Amino acid sequence: MKIILTHEVPNLGSAGDVVEVKNGYGRNYLLPQGLAIAWTKGGQKEVDAIQRARAARQIHDLDQARTVAEQLKKTDAHIVARTGDGDRLFGSITAVDVVKAVDEAGGPKIDRRRVELPAAIKSVGTYDVAVKLHPEVTAKFKLQVTPAKRRKK
């Protein structure tokens, strides 16, 4: 089955790519989840639109990716989160939270879809976060999660 990816799918391709997949994978997972659309001759216009949008927001070359990686290494991202007993968070830290923390720390603009969290961040501590900026460049930086001050009853 030939499909057009509308979102980045790990180990398959990125938005705008035309790929060949097994019928069941495309019909039962990719299409219902909105990750892809069926390929048609008219679908080429959609491919062009998706690729233009991707080109506008991606990091254009290797040098720019390395520059952004150096800026990220110097960034001290810090998140203050509500906690319960034992320094466990209410909820978890997401990629969107990480992007906000980097932005507030004065770091470079990064796309939330490029943030790779080590695992679900559900407790207070320091974490290594990776950002895949370019196929050849992955930036790593430290993320500090601290508890918010509790109100006394």
Side-chain angles (χ1 to χ4, degrees), residues 85-113:
D85 294 332
D87 287 336
R88 300 270 306 157
L89 300 181
F90 290 122
S92 63
I93 303 297
T94 64
V96 174
D97 298 327
V98 173
V99 169
K100 283 183 189 175
V102 168
D103 193 35
E104 289 171 0
K109 300 274 187 217
I110 53 176
D111 187 8
R112 68 174 170 76
R113 293 178 286 268

Side-chain angles (χ1 to χ4, degrees), residues 14 21 29 34 37 40 42 66 72 91 95 126 147 150:
S14 57
V21 296
Y29 178 70
I37 56 174
T40 60
R66 288 189 177 136
L72 272 175
T126 303
R150 295 182 187 170

Side-chain angles (χ1 to χ4, degrees), residues 23-36:
N23 290 338
Y25 182 52
R27 195 172 46 244
N28 297 327
Y29 178 70
L30 295 173
L31 295 175
Q33 294 291 325
L35 300 174

Side-chain angles (χ1 to χ4, degrees), residues 116-118 126-130 140-143:
E116 298 173 353
L117 297 174
T126 303
Y127 296 90
D128 290 322
V129 177
K140 293 187 178 188
F141 65 96
K142 299 272 187 207
L143 174 69

Side-chain angles (χ1 to χ4, degrees), residues 17-142:
D17 291 347
V18 177
V19 294
E20 186 78 28
V21 296
K22 301 246 180 180
N23 290 338
Y25 182 52
R27 195 172 46 244
N28 297 327
Y29 178 70
L30 295 173
L31 295 175
Q33 294 291 325
L35 300 174
I37 56 174
W39 184 86
T40 60
K41 291 180 183 176
Q44 189 62 38
K45 291 179 185 175
E46 289 187 46
V47 169
D48 294 339
I50 291 169
Q51 287 178 340
R52 277 195 303 274
R54 179 176 53 176
R57 76 172 176 260
Q58 83 177 26
I59 295 177
H60 295 290
D61 60 0
L62 192 58
D63 292 334
Q64 184 183 7
R66 288 189 177 136
T67 304
V68 172
E70 287 300 317
Q71 291 173 346
L72 272 175
K73 285 180 185 173
K74 296 175 186 173
T75 302
D76 292 327
H78 187 85
I79 295 177
V80 178
R82 291 182 49 212
T83 59
D85 294 332
D87 287 336
R88 300 270 306 157
L89 300 181
F90 290 122
S92 63
I93 303 297
T94 64
V96 174
D97 298 327
V98 173
V99 169
K100 283 183 189 175
V102 168
D103 193 35
E104 289 171 0
K109 300 274 187 217
I110 53 176
D111 187 8
R112 68 174 170 76
R113 293 178 286 268
R114 301 282 182 203
V115 175
E116 298 173 353
L117 297 174
I121 298 176
K122 295 186 176 220
S123 61
V124 173
T126 303
Y127 296 90
D128 290 322
V129 177
V131 180
K132 188 167 179 141
L133 299 169
H134 190 271
E136 299 175 21
V137 179
T138 301
K140 293 187 178 188
F141 65 96
K142 299 272 187 207

